């Protein structure tokens, strides 16, 4: 299929009208292009599919819902406008909602009631429910339950209906309306959870915003937040990622801290890599000196030794603050009397050695003609001047590419942060932090938060890739990707 | 060659920071790992020389043997499958069509995202009620429809080609124009059969395959050295998924250099696409193939991230690799660290990697001569 489709050209096609034969050929070409696009589309779906599916599922209340469905309440415009309305009623915040003093939140819920059954209003409770498991479950927090008062339920609509979900059973749809009011003074709470439980024989059909969960065969409808605001509703898991996991002491959002750490780490790693690699690359490409070949061989060799061989000693070097003499650690000199484990500085030390970057810069400098330096040489400029003011400015494209590749490497780096940054949680970078998420929430099957965190942490690199595709794809033909 | 003293001084000043790092974090680290591997160092007491004992003990340690088995099987299976898939995909896509840039970017997306993100997504899909089991269930249920569809494609295609040939038109068995017609016909035919109730999806219970919390292997009951634990197979699937696009693009770059006339000449001789694949495509990308094989072997032998991220989601023995074994002995949780033992494992891994690379180098060289 890849080529000409096993086509042979017998001589006896001459009996055909040449124009008819041309048309026949053109048809084949069109069909072939169509098939190629179809195959490429299929491959694209296979390779982007999991990421896309995870991104879409990350807004679901339960991403492990079975069978997985793409009919997601969070994607229905009806719920968007309703959640904005409810957020405004709850705390005057159409985006993130909440429950503030003086709020009166109007709510409607519709049940299917079987024929012959008395229509009794369901019971509405504001539960003292904590969000999720893990750190969110131990933080001191304010409960909407302590301030909320549920008003009387009134029937606003009754409408005969033939079917509930299970089949054709006569009955009627009954819509109840009620309000939840904030009584007295108090703090603004982030959420207003609701549990609505009806009598046996009644099943939930619909409500102002779609219920987060149904229990007891549809009798009980649970709402994570009855005053969510539009972002609080659609991106609930994303809001949880930032809000729910905080340090017990300072109540800092851990996810924000991790993002900050990752950016700081990436920034300094880029600076260090650009400087070291361009200096070493310049010397190896432009200067003739004893030991040049040996050093270059060492650079190539350094790329081949597995990290597992190096990390044993490097871990100890960080622990000892480079060297420890009679209990005095050398790293005390730059402010680390207890060694450099669990610090971004230590992480920068062990990741600074980047033989691949040296190799790239050496290759690039070799491609710059020597003549450009000669004018400077005649002026008697020092090697440093020639490097800093003549060659380096010409290396902007290579430095740009190296910046992007280094950012991606630092942002995604797993092994070294995993070894060096183990505690406290506030010291971690994003990938290692996500692993904490997995350990906390994966066990209880709360995947919404994990997926939301994963999608957020993938975003910067994906944006970078979309903008600077060329650099990434050139890297492939140059050295191949790393696992 | 003459060296200028001034150049030499300048060069070493330029190289100073890099050489310092290279000395401490590479040279010293390598030597120390080798030294530790001959001692009983445990992070706290002074190391004692024990000779080759650590290396001998490695082969008595059940966890190491599991790690060795897992790493070797992982490397062989993943390298074979992903190299083959990458080559097949590259040769399908080796066409001059508009918009190939968009698709290349799309294929590359899994390779730019971090291993943590991809592994977490796959961990989620490997849950008992996850996407993998759901899709398996869907395919099993729809098997009659899929088979009907394929059968109609084959029948219509063969009939159509025979008819075109009887009109003395040079139609090949995979003729694209006829294939489009066959696919459409099969779509309509299957739909009709499904609507009239002749064939239909089967009603099967949901698939409950356990990917993670299991000690079962593929194939079940195979000898130790030949059995792939199921969690390891899950990591294999993930690894193939993330690396195939990269290798495919490398093959694609190699294939662009193969002259189109080779294929045209072959098809004049009546070679089928499959024959062309084996007789033209594979030989002409041999250098790229060796590069891909080497990179893939190095990458797979050193697989670490996925095991660490799976963590307690699967039994350690069923997914531990050599790289993770080293980490596990260095930081064994509540037990005393076995640094010497870990170092011996690390050196073994380094030697294994080096051997594989050298063997492949030699193959390339003998190929070239």
């Amino acid at each position: 299929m890849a080529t000409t489709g096993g086509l042979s050209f017998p001589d006896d096609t001459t009996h055909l009208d040449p124009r008819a034969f041309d048309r026949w050929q053109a048809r084949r070409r069109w069909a072939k292009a169509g098939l190629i696009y179809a195959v490429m589309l299929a491959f694209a779906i296979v390779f982007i599919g999991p990421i896309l599916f995870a991104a879409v599922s990350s807004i679901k209340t339960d991403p492990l819902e079975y069978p997985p469905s793409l009919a997601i309440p969070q994607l229905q415009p009806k719920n968007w406008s309703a959640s904005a309305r409810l957020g405004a009623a709850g705390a005057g915040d159409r985006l993130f909602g909440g429950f503030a003093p003086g709020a009166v939140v109007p709510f409607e819920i519709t049940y299917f009631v079987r024929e012959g059954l008395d229509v009794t209003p369901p019971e509405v409770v504001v539960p003292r429910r904590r969000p999720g498991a893990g750190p969110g479950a131990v933080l001191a927090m304010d409960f909407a339950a302590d301030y909320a008062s549920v008003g009387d339920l009134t029937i606003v609509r009754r409408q005969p209906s033939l079917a509930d979900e299970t089949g054709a059973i006569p009955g009627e749809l009954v819509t109840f309306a009620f309000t939840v009011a904030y009584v007295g003074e108090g703090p603004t709470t982030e959420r207003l959870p609701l549990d609505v439980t009806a009598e046996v024989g009644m099943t939930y059909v619909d409500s102002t915003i779609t219920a987060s969960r149904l229990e007891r065969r549809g009798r009980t409808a649970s709402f994570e937040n009855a005053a969510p605001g539009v972002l609080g509703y659609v991106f609930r898991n994303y809001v949880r990622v930032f809000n729910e996991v905080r340090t017990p002491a300072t109540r800092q959002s851990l996810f924000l801290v991790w993002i900050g750490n990752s950016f700081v780490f990436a920034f300094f790693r880029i600076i260090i890599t650009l400087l070291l690699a361009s200096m070493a690359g310049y010397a190896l490409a432009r200067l003739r000196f004893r030991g040049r070949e040996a050093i270059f061989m060492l650079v190539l060799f350094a790329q081949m030794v597995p990290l597992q061989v190096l990390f044993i000693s490097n871990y100890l070097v960080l622990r000892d603050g480079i060297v420890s003499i009679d209990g005095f650690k050398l790293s005390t000199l730059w402010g680390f009397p207890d060694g450099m484990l669990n610090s971004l500085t230590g992480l920068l030390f062990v990741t600074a050695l980047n033989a691949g970057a040296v190799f790239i810069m050496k290759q690039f400098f070799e491609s710059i003609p020597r003549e450009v330096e000669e004018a400077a040489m005649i002026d008697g400029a020092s090697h440093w001047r020639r490097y800093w003011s003549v060659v380096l400015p010409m290396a902007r494209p290579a430095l740009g590419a190296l910046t992007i590749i280094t950012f991606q490497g630092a942002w995604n780096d797993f092994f070294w942060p995993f070894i060096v940054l183990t505690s406290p949680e506030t010291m971690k970078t994003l990938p290692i932090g996500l692993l904490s998420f997995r350990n906390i929430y994966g066990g209880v099957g709360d995947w919404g938060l994990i997926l939301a965190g994963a999608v957020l942490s993938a975003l910067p690199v994906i944006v970078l890739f979309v903008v600077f595709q060329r650099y990434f794809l050139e890297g492939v033909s140059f050295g191949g990707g790393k696992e | 060659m003459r060296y200028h003293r001034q150049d030499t001084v300048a060069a070493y000043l330029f190289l100073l920071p890099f050489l310092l790092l290279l000395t401490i974090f590479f040279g010293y680290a390598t030597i120390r790992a080798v030294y530790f591997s001959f001692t009983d160092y445990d992070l706290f007491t002074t190391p004692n020389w024990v000779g080759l004992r650590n290396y001998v003990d490695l082969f008595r340690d059940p966890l190491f043997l599991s790690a060795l088995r897992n790493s070797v099987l992982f490397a062989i299976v993943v390298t074979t499958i992903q190299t083959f898939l990458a080559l097949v995909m590259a040769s399908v896509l080796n066409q001059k069509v508009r918009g190939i840039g968009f698709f290349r970017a799309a294929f590359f997306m899994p390779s730019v995202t971090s291993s943590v993100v991809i592994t977490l997504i796959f961990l989620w899909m490997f849950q008992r009620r996850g996407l993998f089991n759901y899709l398996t269930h869907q395919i099993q249920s729809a098997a009659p429809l899929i088979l009907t569809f394929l059968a109609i494609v084959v029948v219509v295609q063969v009939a159509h080609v025979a008819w075109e040939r009887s009109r003395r038109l040079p139609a090949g068995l995979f003729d694209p124009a006829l294939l489009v017609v066959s696919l459409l016909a099969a779509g309509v035919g299957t739909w009709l059969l499904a609507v009239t109730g002749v064939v239909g999806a089967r009603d099967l219970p949901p698939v409950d395959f356990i990917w993670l919390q299991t000690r079962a292997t593929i194939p079940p009951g195979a000898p130790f050295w030949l059995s792939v634990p199921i969690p390891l197979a899950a990591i294999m699937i993930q690894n193939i998924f993330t690396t195939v696009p990269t290798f495919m693009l490398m093959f694609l770059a190699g294939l662009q250099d193969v002259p189109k006339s080779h294929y045209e000449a072959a098809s004049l001789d009546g070679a089928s696409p499959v024959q062309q694949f084996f007789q033209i495509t594979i030989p002409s990308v041999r250098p790229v193939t060796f590069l891909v094989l080497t990179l893939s072997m190095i990458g797979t032998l050193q697989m670490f991230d996925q095991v660490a991220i799976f963590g307690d989601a699967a039994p350690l023995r069923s997914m531990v690799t050599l790289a993770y074994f080293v980490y596990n002995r260095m930081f064994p949780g509540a037990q005393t660290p076995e640094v010497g033992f870990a170092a011996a494992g690390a050196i073994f891994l380094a030697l294994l990697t080096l051997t594989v690379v050298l063997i492949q180098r030699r193959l390339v060289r003998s190929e070239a001569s």
Side-chain angles (χ1 to χ4, degrees):
Chain A
M1 254 194 317
T3 56
T4 51
L7 179 64
S8 51
F9 296 96
D11 299 330
D12 53 1
T13 47
T14 41
H15 73 283
L16 282 170
D17 173 14
R19 261 184 299 168
F21 186 69
D22 283 348
R23 274 203 302 278
W24 190 83
Q25 286 287 43
R27 210 165 59 221
R28 297 180 73 244
R29 277 197 299 276
W30 279 103
K32 190 172 164 189
L35 287 176
I36 292 287
Y37 279 116
V39 171
M40 287 204 292
L41 199 63
F43 286 164
I45 290 171
V46 167
F47 287 119
I48 308 194
I51 299 173
L52 222 50
F53 184 63
V56 172
S57 299
S58 69
I59 62 170
K60 284 187 185 178
T61 311
D62 176 20
L64 273 183
E65 167 197 36
Y66 194 92
S69 148
L70 288 179
I72 302 171
Q74 277 83 351
L75 291 181
Q76 293 167 5
K78 171 214 139 197
N79 283 327
W80 299 345
S81 54
S83 53
R85 244 186 1 257
L86 291 171
D93 188 344
R94 306 182 78 86
L95 294 182
F96 291 101
F99 194 48
V104 178
V105 179
F107 210 80
E108 285 187 7
I109 187 163
T110 306
Y111 273 90
F112 173 83
V113 186
R114 255 177 231 215
E115 199 176 54
L117 224 78
D118 287 339
V119 176
T120 33
E123 187 194 2
V124 180
V125 180
V126 179
R128 280 177 74 90
R129 190 184 297 134
R130 288 178 174 278
V138 293
L139 284 176
M141 61 174 285
D142 300 310
F143 290 101
D146 299 338
Y147 308 96
S149 147
V150 179
D152 289 334
L153 275 76
T154 52
I155 297 172
V156 289
R157 264 192 309 281
R158 296 176 75 141
Q159 182 187 345
S161 164
L162 256 184
D164 70 349
E165 279 174 6
T166 49
I169 303 166
E172 59 181 332
L173 294 174
V174 183
T175 304
F176 302 93
F178 59 91
T179 56
V180 184
Y182 195 113
V183 182
E185 287 303 307
T188 301
T189 62
E190 276 170 24
R191 304 176 316 130
L192 172 61
L194 272 189
D195 283 350
V196 184
T197 309
E199 296 289 314
V200 180
M202 294 168 69
T203 39
Y204 168 88
V205 178
D206 198 9
S207 47
T208 312
I209 46 169
T210 310
S212 314
R213 256 189 321 278
L214 294 180
E215 282 156 23
R216 306 195 206 171
R217 299 169 155 259
R219 275 172 57 209
T220 300
S222 259
F223 300 87
E224 293 288 350
N225 192 352
V230 65
L231 294 181
Y233 181 74
V234 179
F235 296 106
R236 194 180 100 82
N237 287 325
Y238 289 80
V239 175
R240 287 180 63 203
V241 164
F242 287 102
N243 281 347
E244 206 167 285
V245 191
R246 294 171 180 276
T247 55
T250 56
R251 298 188 64 107
Q252 261 179 309
S253 161
L254 273 178
F255 198 77
L256 273 181
V257 174
W258 296 336
I259 291 178
N261 287 346
S262 272
F263 270 115
V264 171
F265 171 55
F267 176 77
F268 284 105
R269 180 140 151 208
I270 289 169
I271 304 265
I272 292 173
T273 304
L274 291 187
L275 206 61
L276 290 190
S278 62
M279 281 166 64
Y282 177 77
L284 289 173
R286 281 303 164 89
L287 301 172
R288 297 278 159 268
F289 57 97
R290 214 173 286 280
R292 182 171 159 275
E293 271 74 32
I295 290 175
F296 187 61
M297 286 310 290
L298 214 59
V299 169
L300 291 184
F301 187 63
Q303 286 173 293
M304 292 208 359
V305 173
L307 291 177
Q308 278 70 29
V309 172
L310 305 179
F311 95 92
I312 297 174
S313 166
N314 292 353
Y315 175 83
L316 297 173
V317 165
L318 287 190
R319 188 193 69 176
D320 299 337
I322 307 295
V323 279
S324 165
I325 301 156
D326 289 337
F328 175 81
K329 293 173 175 168
L330 191 66
S331 61
T332 312
L333 297 180
W334 53 92
F336 291 91
D338 302 319
M340 293 191 289
L341 288 178
N342 294 314
S343 74
L344 288 182
T345 312
L347 186 60
L348 286 167
F349 263 92
V350 278
T351 53
L353 186 66
N354 191 340
V358 173
F359 190 76
I360 291 175
M361 288 315 294
K362 174 184 176 282
Q363 301 284 88
F364 185 82
F365 285 134
E366 278 170 351
S367 74
I368 298 180
R370 276 183 171 275
E371 288 74 45
V372 299
E373 275 184 79
E374 267 162 17
M377 258 160 97
I378 293 164
D379 289 348
S382 66
H383 280 293
W384 178 259
R385 278 279 309 278
R386 273 151 61 187
Y387 156 77
W388 188 256
S389 353
V390 181
V391 186
L392 207 54
M394 296 189 70
R396 265 194 213 127
L399 294 175
L402 201 55
T403 303
I404 288 160
I405 296 170
T406 311
F407 177 84
Q408 188 222 4
W411 188 264
N412 289 349
D413 197 5
F414 178 76
F415 183 78
W416 284 117
F418 183 65
I419 300 293
V420 176
L421 311 173
T422 48
S423 74
E425 291 287 328
T426 47
M427 225 36 259
K428 294 184 173 177
T429 56
L430 205 42
I432 310 304
L434 278 181
L435 200 57
S436 302
F437 269 9
R438 191 199 90 56
N439 292 334
I440 297 166
Y441 293 95
V444 291
D446 191 351
W447 280 88
L449 197 136
I450 301 175
L451 288 182
V455 169
L456 278 177
S457 83
L459 268 185
V461 173
I462 288 183
V463 169
L464 207 65
F465 172 65
V466 170
V467 180
F468 296 105
Q469 242 189 71
R470 199 161 52 91
Y471 293 121
F472 286 88
L473 292 171
E474 271 167 14
V476 175
S477 45
F478 174 71
K482 262 191 151 178
E483 312 297 295
Chain B
M1 187 183 282
R2 293 275 315 271
Y3 298 105
H4 298 286
R5 164 176 284 211
Q6 198 200 347
D7 269 13
T8 306
V9 173
Y12 278 98
L13 282 176
F14 271 108
L15 283 164
L16 185 69
F18 178 72
L19 286 181
L20 260 177
L21 289 167
L22 196 69
T23 313
I24 299 174
F25 292 108
F26 175 72
Y28 177 57
T30 310
I31 293 166
R32 206 145 66 133
V34 174
Y35 165 68
F36 281 151
S37 75
F38 294 107
T39 69
D40 63 355
Y41 189 46
D42 63 359
L43 283 189
F44 305 111
T45 53
T46 40
N48 297 307
W49 187 266
V50 295
L52 283 170
R53 201 183 74 197
N54 284 329
Y55 288 92
V56 175
D57 283 352
L58 278 182
F59 292 90
R60 295 196 185 123
D61 184 47
L63 187 65
F64 176 80
L65 293 177
S66 293
L68 181 59
R69 188 264 320 258
N70 288 352
S71 279
V72 170
L73 286 181
F74 186 81
I76 293 174
V77 172
V78 171
T79 301
T80 313
I81 295 179
Q82 74 189 6
T83 308
F84 183 72
L85 278 184
L87 186 53
V88 170
M89 284 177 59
S91 56
V92 171
L93 293 185
N94 185 26
Q95 309 287 336
K96 290 212 167 46
V97 287
R98 272 165 199 278
I100 187 111
F102 166 79
F103 287 103
R104 274 211 308 216
F107 301 152
F108 204 56
M109 202 68 96
S111 317
V112 294
T113 41
S114 74
S115 60
V116 178
V117 169
I118 293 286
T119 310
L120 286 179
I121 290 176
F122 269 76
L123 207 50
W124 164 67
M125 296 197 298
F126 280 124
Q127 300 291 311
R128 273 182 75 171
R129 284 281 190 257
L131 187 65
F132 271 94
N133 283 352
Y134 174 72
L135 287 181
T136 316
H137 176 237
Q138 293 302 102
I139 291 171
Q140 281 182 358
S141 304
L145 294 173
I146 297 170
L147 290 177
T148 312
F149 180 84
L150 290 178
I152 299 179
V153 169
V154 171
V155 170
V156 173
Q157 180 78 1
V158 168
H160 205 164
V161 167
W163 184 65
E164 293 272 299
R165 280 190 180 161
S166 75
R167 288 171 62 206
R168 301 220 210 132
L169 279 164
L173 202 51
F174 294 96
D175 190 277
L178 304 188
L179 195 57
V180 169
V181 175
S182 306
L183 289 171
L184 287 176
V188 173
T190 313
W191 180 74
L192 280 177
L193 288 175
V195 167
T196 52
V198 180
V199 290
R202 292 185 293 174
D203 196 12
L204 297 173
V207 173
D208 242 340
F209 190 79
I210 300 172
W211 288 96
L212 302 170
Q213 284 296 358
T214 175
R215 289 180 197 284
T217 57
I218 307 170
F224 175 80
W225 291 103
L226 292 176
S227 51
V228 179
I230 288 171
L232 189 73
I235 301 180
M236 285 176 176
I237 294 175
Q238 189 212 318
N239 203 84
I240 292 170
F241 169 84
T242 37
T243 343
V244 156
T246 313
F247 291 149
M248 181 197 74
L249 293 179
M250 292 170 79
F251 276 127
L252 209 49
L255 278 176
Q256 314 257 289
D257 302 336
V258 181
K260 271 263 175 276
S261 56
H262 287 194
Y263 290 107
E264 276 155 22
S267 60
L268 277 181
D269 294 342
S272 75
V274 177
Q275 284 171 323
Q276 290 175 27
F277 176 75
F278 282 104
Q279 285 161 13
I280 304 174
T281 308
I282 289 189
S284 52
V285 290
R286 190 150 278 166
V288 187
T289 311
F290 275 111
L291 179 64
V292 166
L293 283 175
T294 311
L295 287 173
S296 177
M297 284 300 274
I298 295 176
T300 48
L301 276 177
Q302 298 180 6
M303 193 267 283
F304 174 88
D305 295 10
Q306 284 89 331
V307 184
I309 297 162
F310 271 41
D312 56 8
L316 180 61
R317 285 277 181 86
S318 301
M319 58 174 185
V320 64
T321 55
L322 290 173
Y324 195 80
F325 169 83
V326 177
Y327 170 82
N328 181 271
R329 290 297 89 199
M330 180 81 180
F331 304 109
Q335 295 162 299
T336 317
E338 300 173 285
V339 181
F341 201 43
I347 301 297
F348 179 86
L349 174 59
L351 292 178
L352 188 65
T353 313
L354 204 65
T355 316
V356 169
V357 173
L358 288 181
I359 291 175
Q360 273 167 350
R361 279 260 166 95
R362 171 136 317 173
L363 284 177
V364 175
R365 213 164 285 158
S366 67
E367 196 70 34
S369 61

